[in-house]
PDB file of all heavy atoms in Angstrom:
ATOM      1  N   ASP A  97      -0.721 -50.321  31.714  1.00 89.00           N
ATOM      2  CA  ASP A  97       0.644 -49.927  31.847  1.00 89.00           C
ATOM      3  C   ASP A  97       1.034 -48.984  30.771  1.00 89.00           C
ATOM      4  O   ASP A  97       1.900 -47.979  30.967  1.00 89.00           O
ATOM      5  CB  ASP A  97       1.609 -51.210  31.668  1.00 89.00           C
ATOM      6  CG  ASP A  97       1.508 -51.995  32.891  1.00 89.00           C
ATOM      7  OD1 ASP A  97       0.934 -51.576  33.851  1.00 89.00           O
ATOM      8  OD2 ASP A  97       1.970 -53.164  32.904  1.00 89.00           O
ATOM      9  N   VAL A  98       0.582 -49.076  29.534  1.00 91.00           N
ATOM     10  CA  VAL A  98       0.938 -48.175  28.479  1.00 91.00           C
ATOM     11  C   VAL A  98       0.455 -46.791  28.705  1.00 91.00           C
ATOM     12  O   VAL A  98       1.178 -45.813  28.469  1.00 91.00           O
ATOM     13  CB  VAL A  98       0.388 -48.716  27.031  1.00 91.00           C
ATOM     14  CG1 VAL A  98       0.845 -47.803  25.909  1.00 91.00           C
ATOM     15  CG2 VAL A  98       0.765 -50.101  26.878  1.00 91.00           C
ATOM     16  N   PHE A  99      -0.780 -46.738  29.219  1.00 93.00           N
ATOM     17  CA  PHE A  99      -1.343 -45.308  29.596  1.00 93.00           C
ATOM     18  C   PHE A  99      -0.519 -44.800  30.746  1.00 93.00           C
ATOM     19  O   PHE A  99      -0.199 -43.580  30.693  1.00 93.00           O
ATOM     20  CB  PHE A  99      -2.797 -45.504  30.124  1.00 93.00           C
ATOM     21  CG  PHE A  99      -3.685 -45.929  28.977  1.00 93.00           C
ATOM     22  CD1 PHE A  99      -3.994 -47.254  28.804  1.00 93.00           C
ATOM     23  CD2 PHE A  99      -4.145 -45.013  28.030  1.00 93.00           C
ATOM     24  CE1 PHE A  99      -4.746 -47.658  27.748  1.00 93.00           C
ATOM     25  CE2 PHE A  99      -4.954 -45.479  27.022  1.00 93.00           C
ATOM     26  CZ  PHE A  99      -5.388 -46.786  26.818  1.00 93.00           C
ATOM     27  N   ALA A 100      -0.119 -45.460  31.649  1.00 93.00           N
ATOM     28  CA  ALA A 100       0.822 -45.078  32.798  1.00 93.00           C
ATOM     29  C   ALA A 100       2.040 -44.443  32.222  1.00 93.00           C
ATOM     30  O   ALA A 100       2.521 -43.434  32.571  1.00 93.00           O
ATOM     31  CB  ALA A 100       1.048 -46.075  33.819  1.00 93.00           C
ATOM     32  N   LYS A 101       2.576 -45.269  31.198  1.00 92.00           N
ATOM     33  CA  LYS A 101       3.875 -44.821  30.625  1.00 92.00           C
ATOM     34  C   LYS A 101       3.733 -43.504  29.825  1.00 92.00           C
ATOM     35  O   LYS A 101       4.552 -42.679  30.058  1.00 92.00           O
ATOM     36  CB  LYS A 101       4.255 -45.881  29.581  1.00 92.00           C
ATOM     37  CG  LYS A 101       5.628 -45.696  28.872  1.00 92.00           C
ATOM     38  CD  LYS A 101       5.756 -46.682  27.796  1.00 92.00           C
ATOM     39  CE  LYS A 101       6.939 -46.267  26.844  1.00 92.00           C
ATOM     40  NZ  LYS A 101       6.966 -47.183  25.655  1.00 92.00           N
ATOM     41  N   ILE A 102       2.599 -43.343  29.055  1.00 93.00           N
ATOM     42  CA  ILE A 102       2.642 -42.074  28.269  1.00 93.00           C
ATOM     43  C   ILE A 102       2.271 -40.879  29.271  1.00 93.00           C
ATOM     44  O   ILE A 102       2.741 -39.819  29.030  1.00 93.00           O
ATOM     45  CB  ILE A 102       1.558 -42.174  27.041  1.00 93.00           C
ATOM     46  CG1 ILE A 102       0.176 -42.426  27.674  1.00 93.00           C
ATOM     47  CG2 ILE A 102       2.036 -43.184  26.160  1.00 93.00           C
ATOM     48  CD1 ILE A 102      -0.894 -42.209  26.561  1.00 93.00           C
ATOM     49  N   PHE A 103       1.508 -41.198  30.233  1.00 94.00           N
ATOM     50  CA  PHE A 103       1.192 -40.076  31.233  1.00 94.00           C
ATOM     51  C   PHE A 103       2.400 -39.724  32.105  1.00 94.00           C
ATOM     52  O   PHE A 103       2.443 -38.668  32.792  1.00 94.00           O
ATOM     53  CB  PHE A 103      -0.059 -40.325  32.085  1.00 94.00           C
ATOM     54  CG  PHE A 103      -1.236 -40.017  31.362  1.00 94.00           C
ATOM     55  CD1 PHE A 103      -2.132 -40.930  30.728  1.00 94.00           C
ATOM     56  CD2 PHE A 103      -1.781 -38.708  31.282  1.00 94.00           C
ATOM     57  CE1 PHE A 103      -3.221 -40.543  30.053  1.00 94.00           C
ATOM     58  CE2 PHE A 103      -2.938 -38.264  30.674  1.00 94.00           C
ATOM     59  CZ  PHE A 103      -3.714 -39.230  30.062  1.00 94.00           C
ATOM     60  N   ASP A 104       3.435 -40.687  32.108  1.00 94.00           N
ATOM     61  CA  ASP A 104       4.733 -40.262  32.768  1.00 94.00           C
ATOM     62  C   ASP A 104       5.562 -39.471  31.876  1.00 94.00           C
ATOM     63  O   ASP A 104       6.586 -38.855  32.379  1.00 94.00           O
ATOM     64  CB  ASP A 104       5.457 -41.519  33.134  1.00 94.00           C
ATOM     65  CG  ASP A 104       4.852 -42.061  34.550  1.00 94.00           C
ATOM     66  OD1 ASP A 104       4.342 -41.231  35.292  1.00 94.00           O
ATOM     67  OD2 ASP A 104       5.043 -43.229  34.853  1.00 94.00           O
ATOM     68  N   ASP A 105       5.291 -39.457  30.576  1.00 93.00           N
ATOM     69  CA  ASP A 105       6.115 -38.849  29.707  1.00 93.00           C
ATOM     70  C   ASP A 105       5.809 -37.286  29.609  1.00 93.00           C
ATOM     71  O   ASP A 105       4.772 -36.953  29.246  1.00 93.00           O
ATOM     72  CB  ASP A 105       5.894 -39.495  28.199  1.00 93.00           C
ATOM     73  CG  ASP A 105       6.741 -38.856  27.169  1.00 93.00           C
ATOM     74  OD1 ASP A 105       7.561 -37.878  27.455  1.00 93.00           O
ATOM     75  OD2 ASP A 105       6.548 -39.169  25.986  1.00 93.00           O
ATOM     76  N   PRO A 106       6.785 -36.382  29.941  1.00 94.00           N
ATOM     77  CA  PRO A 106       6.505 -35.007  29.922  1.00 94.00           C
ATOM     78  C   PRO A 106       6.049 -34.497  28.611  1.00 94.00           C
ATOM     79  O   PRO A 106       5.285 -33.552  28.448  1.00 94.00           O
ATOM     80  CB  PRO A 106       7.827 -34.410  30.349  1.00 94.00           C
ATOM     81  CG  PRO A 106       8.669 -35.422  30.941  1.00 94.00           C
ATOM     82  CD  PRO A 106       8.161 -36.752  30.336  1.00 94.00           C
ATOM     83  N   LEU A 107       6.703 -35.084  27.538  1.00 92.00           N
ATOM     84  CA  LEU A 107       6.364 -34.608  26.181  1.00 92.00           C
ATOM     85  C   LEU A 107       4.878 -34.781  25.800  1.00 92.00           C
ATOM     86  O   LEU A 107       4.250 -33.992  25.229  1.00 92.00           O
ATOM     87  CB  LEU A 107       7.273 -35.331  25.106  1.00 92.00           C
ATOM     88  CG  LEU A 107       7.428 -34.683  23.766  1.00 92.00           C
ATOM     89  CD1 LEU A 107       8.018 -33.253  23.874  1.00 92.00           C
ATOM     90  CD2 LEU A 107       8.237 -35.538  22.958  1.00 92.00           C
ATOM     91  N   PHE A 108       4.493 -35.979  26.229  1.00 93.00           N
ATOM     92  CA  PHE A 108       2.989 -36.359  25.980  1.00 93.00           C
ATOM     93  C   PHE A 108       2.188 -35.356  26.842  1.00 93.00           C
ATOM     94  O   PHE A 108       1.065 -34.836  26.276  1.00 93.00           O
ATOM     95  CB  PHE A 108       2.675 -37.774  26.382  1.00 93.00           C
ATOM     96  CG  PHE A 108       1.210 -38.058  26.427  1.00 93.00           C
ATOM     97  CD1 PHE A 108       0.538 -38.247  25.233  1.00 93.00           C
ATOM     98  CD2 PHE A 108       0.557 -38.036  27.524  1.00 93.00           C
ATOM     99  CE1 PHE A 108      -0.897 -38.505  25.296  1.00 93.00           C
ATOM    100  CE2 PHE A 108      -0.821 -38.227  27.755  1.00 93.00           C
ATOM    101  CZ  PHE A 108      -1.583 -38.446  26.483  1.00 93.00           C
ATOM    102  N   LEU A 109       2.551 -35.136  28.061  1.00 95.00           N
ATOM    103  CA  LEU A 109       1.635 -34.279  28.893  1.00 95.00           C
ATOM    104  C   LEU A 109       1.682 -32.908  28.292  1.00 95.00           C
ATOM    105  O   LEU A 109       0.535 -32.179  28.257  1.00 95.00           O
ATOM    106  CB  LEU A 109       2.282 -34.251  30.255  1.00 95.00           C
ATOM    107  CG  LEU A 109       1.899 -35.415  31.125  1.00 95.00           C
ATOM    108  CD1 LEU A 109       2.649 -35.336  32.496  1.00 95.00           C
ATOM    109  CD2 LEU A 109       0.516 -35.662  31.342  1.00 95.00           C
ATOM    110  N   LYS A 110       2.740 -32.389  27.825  1.00 95.00           N
ATOM    111  CA  LYS A 110       2.752 -31.107  27.198  1.00 95.00           C
ATOM    112  C   LYS A 110       1.799 -31.032  25.907  1.00 95.00           C
ATOM    113  O   LYS A 110       0.941 -30.227  25.769  1.00 95.00           O
ATOM    114  CB  LYS A 110       4.125 -30.634  26.746  1.00 95.00           C
ATOM    115  CG  LYS A 110       5.074 -30.144  27.844  1.00 95.00           C
ATOM    116  CD  LYS A 110       6.327 -29.651  27.248  1.00 95.00           C
ATOM    117  CE  LYS A 110       7.189 -29.183  28.458  1.00 95.00           C
ATOM    118  NZ  LYS A 110       8.679 -29.053  27.965  1.00 95.00           N
ATOM    119  N   GLY A 111       1.874 -32.099  25.104  1.00 94.00           N
ATOM    120  CA  GLY A 111       1.065 -32.148  23.850  1.00 94.00           C
ATOM    121  C   GLY A 111      -0.423 -32.295  24.326  1.00 94.00           C
ATOM    122  O   GLY A 111      -1.343 -31.780  23.692  1.00 94.00           O
ATOM    123  N   PHE A 112      -0.737 -32.999  25.467  1.00 95.00           N
ATOM    124  CA  PHE A 112      -2.041 -33.294  25.954  1.00 95.00           C
ATOM    125  C   PHE A 112      -2.695 -31.837  26.349  1.00 95.00           C
ATOM    126  O   PHE A 112      -3.769 -31.463  25.887  1.00 95.00           O
ATOM    127  CB  PHE A 112      -1.926 -34.154  27.122  1.00 95.00           C
ATOM    128  CG  PHE A 112      -3.291 -34.472  27.800  1.00 95.00           C
ATOM    129  CD1 PHE A 112      -4.214 -35.264  27.274  1.00 95.00           C
ATOM    130  CD2 PHE A 112      -3.541 -33.810  29.016  1.00 95.00           C
ATOM    131  CE1 PHE A 112      -5.382 -35.541  27.921  1.00 95.00           C
ATOM    132  CE2 PHE A 112      -4.703 -34.090  29.673  1.00 95.00           C
ATOM    133  CZ  PHE A 112      -5.657 -34.950  29.152  1.00 95.00           C
ATOM    134  N   TRP A 113      -1.894 -31.171  27.080  1.00 96.00           N
ATOM    135  CA  TRP A 113      -2.390 -29.851  27.592  1.00 96.00           C
ATOM    136  C   TRP A 113      -2.456 -28.870  26.327  1.00 96.00           C
ATOM    137  O   TRP A 113      -3.371 -27.977  26.368  1.00 96.00           O
ATOM    138  CB  TRP A 113      -1.577 -29.218  28.708  1.00 96.00           C
ATOM    139  CG  TRP A 113      -1.820 -29.968  29.952  1.00 96.00           C
ATOM    140  CD1 TRP A 113      -0.995 -30.802  30.620  1.00 96.00           C
ATOM    141  CD2 TRP A 113      -3.176 -30.113  30.652  1.00 96.00           C
ATOM    142  NE1 TRP A 113      -1.593 -31.374  31.667  1.00 96.00           N
ATOM    143  CE2 TRP A 113      -2.966 -30.973  31.772  1.00 96.00           C
ATOM    144  CE3 TRP A 113      -4.336 -29.650  30.410  1.00 96.00           C
ATOM    145  CZ2 TRP A 113      -3.949 -31.225  32.612  1.00 96.00           C
ATOM    146  CZ3 TRP A 113      -5.479 -29.912  31.306  1.00 96.00           C
ATOM    147  CH2 TRP A 113      -5.210 -30.807  32.388  1.00 96.00           C
ATOM    148  N   ILE A 114      -1.561 -28.882  25.473  1.00 95.00           N
ATOM    149  CA  ILE A 114      -1.630 -28.090  24.313  1.00 95.00           C
ATOM    150  C   ILE A 114      -2.985 -28.387  23.441  1.00 95.00           C
ATOM    151  O   ILE A 114      -3.633 -27.466  22.988  1.00 95.00           O
ATOM    152  CB  ILE A 114      -0.381 -28.130  23.386  1.00 95.00           C
ATOM    153  CG1 ILE A 114       0.773 -27.423  24.023  1.00 95.00           C
ATOM    154  CG2 ILE A 114      -0.645 -27.584  21.972  1.00 95.00           C
ATOM    155  CD1 ILE A 114       2.131 -27.691  23.273  1.00 95.00           C
ATOM    156  N   THR A 115      -3.135 -29.638  23.296  1.00 96.00           N
ATOM    157  CA  THR A 115      -4.371 -30.057  22.657  1.00 96.00           C
ATOM    158  C   THR A 115      -5.695 -29.555  23.293  1.00 96.00           C
ATOM    159  O   THR A 115      -6.537 -28.960  22.611  1.00 96.00           O
ATOM    160  CB  THR A 115      -4.336 -31.698  22.502  1.00 96.00           C
ATOM    161  OG1 THR A 115      -3.140 -32.134  22.012  1.00 96.00           O
ATOM    162  CG2 THR A 115      -5.579 -32.228  21.717  1.00 96.00           C
ATOM    163  N   ILE A 116      -5.654 -29.652  24.565  1.00 96.00           N
ATOM    164  CA  ILE A 116      -6.798 -29.156  25.256  1.00 96.00           C
ATOM    165  C   ILE A 116      -6.972 -27.683  25.142  1.00 96.00           C
ATOM    166  O   ILE A 116      -8.061 -27.136  24.904  1.00 96.00           O
ATOM    167  CB  ILE A 116      -6.905 -29.590  26.827  1.00 96.00           C
ATOM    168  CG1 ILE A 116      -7.114 -31.058  26.938  1.00 96.00           C
ATOM    169  CG2 ILE A 116      -7.818 -28.861  27.633  1.00 96.00           C
ATOM    170  CD1 ILE A 116      -6.896 -31.671  28.268  1.00 96.00           C
ATOM    171  N   THR A 117      -5.908 -26.930  25.367  1.00 96.00           N
ATOM    172  CA  THR A 117      -5.854 -25.511  25.270  1.00 96.00           C
ATOM    173  C   THR A 117      -6.322 -25.102  23.835  1.00 96.00           C
ATOM    174  O   THR A 117      -7.196 -24.178  23.784  1.00 96.00           O
ATOM    175  CB  THR A 117      -4.391 -24.973  25.546  1.00 96.00           C
ATOM    176  OG1 THR A 117      -4.072 -25.448  26.821  1.00 96.00           O
ATOM    177  CG2 THR A 117      -4.422 -23.452  25.553  1.00 96.00           C
ATOM    178  N   VAL A 118      -5.710 -25.574  22.859  1.00 96.00           N
ATOM    179  CA  VAL A 118      -6.099 -25.223  21.414  1.00 96.00           C
ATOM    180  C   VAL A 118      -7.643 -25.480  21.251  1.00 96.00           C
ATOM    181  O   VAL A 118      -8.288 -24.659  20.676  1.00 96.00           O
ATOM    182  CB  VAL A 118      -5.134 -25.888  20.432  1.00 96.00           C
ATOM    183  CG1 VAL A 118      -5.693 -25.734  18.962  1.00 96.00           C
ATOM    184  CG2 VAL A 118      -3.723 -25.473  20.518  1.00 96.00           C
ATOM    185  N   THR A 119      -8.072 -26.642  21.665  1.00 96.00           N
ATOM    186  CA  THR A 119      -9.396 -27.022  21.404  1.00 96.00           C
ATOM    187  C   THR A 119     -10.383 -26.050  22.116  1.00 96.00           C
ATOM    188  O   THR A 119     -11.371 -25.460  21.488  1.00 96.00           O
ATOM    189  CB  THR A 119      -9.721 -28.484  21.982  1.00 96.00           C
ATOM    190  OG1 THR A 119      -8.795 -29.265  21.345  1.00 96.00           O
ATOM    191  CG2 THR A 119     -11.205 -28.902  21.623  1.00 96.00           C
ATOM    192  N   VAL A 120     -10.132 -25.791  23.467  1.00 97.00           N
ATOM    193  CA  VAL A 120     -11.008 -24.935  24.266  1.00 97.00           C
ATOM    194  C   VAL A 120     -11.032 -23.568  23.583  1.00 97.00           C
ATOM    195  O   VAL A 120     -12.123 -22.915  23.415  1.00 97.00           O
ATOM    196  CB  VAL A 120     -10.608 -24.842  25.736  1.00 97.00           C
ATOM    197  CG1 VAL A 120     -11.365 -23.897  26.496  1.00 97.00           C
ATOM    198  CG2 VAL A 120     -10.866 -26.252  26.277  1.00 97.00           C
ATOM    199  N   VAL A 121      -9.802 -22.942  23.335  1.00 97.00           N
ATOM    200  CA  VAL A 121      -9.674 -21.589  22.849  1.00 97.00           C
ATOM    201  C   VAL A 121     -10.341 -21.513  21.590  1.00 97.00           C
ATOM    202  O   VAL A 121     -11.169 -20.655  21.218  1.00 97.00           O
ATOM    203  CB  VAL A 121      -8.338 -21.149  22.903  1.00 97.00           C
ATOM    204  CG1 VAL A 121      -8.130 -19.798  22.105  1.00 97.00           C
ATOM    205  CG2 VAL A 121      -7.651 -21.005  24.211  1.00 97.00           C
ATOM    206  N   THR A 122     -10.142 -22.539  20.689  1.00 97.00           N
ATOM    207  CA  THR A 122     -10.711 -22.494  19.354  1.00 97.00           C
ATOM    208  C   THR A 122     -12.240 -22.552  19.420  1.00 97.00           C
ATOM    209  O   THR A 122     -12.935 -21.729  18.643  1.00 97.00           O
ATOM    210  CB  THR A 122     -10.176 -23.592  18.446  1.00 97.00           C
ATOM    211  OG1 THR A 122      -8.717 -23.552  18.389  1.00 97.00           O
ATOM    212  CG2 THR A 122     -10.675 -23.552  16.991  1.00 97.00           C
ATOM    213  N   VAL A 123     -12.767 -23.375  20.173  1.00 97.00           N
ATOM    214  CA  VAL A 123     -14.168 -23.502  20.267  1.00 97.00           C
ATOM    215  C   VAL A 123     -14.841 -22.222  20.781  1.00 97.00           C
ATOM    216  O   VAL A 123     -15.932 -21.748  20.149  1.00 97.00           O
ATOM    217  CB  VAL A 123     -14.592 -24.678  21.267  1.00 97.00           C
ATOM    218  CG1 VAL A 123     -15.995 -24.666  21.677  1.00 97.00           C
ATOM    219  CG2 VAL A 123     -14.253 -26.092  20.673  1.00 97.00           C
TER     220      VAL A 123
END
Side-chain angles (χ1 to χ4, degrees):
Chain A
D97 288 351
V98 186
F99 294 95
K101 180 187 168 195
I102 62 168
F103 274 99
D104 273 344
D105 180 2
L107 197 61
F108 169 78
L109 283 177
K110 279 184 183 171
F112 178 76
W113 288 115
I114 285 172
T115 304
I116 289 177
T117 305
V118 170
T119 304
V120 170
V121 172
T122 303
V123 166

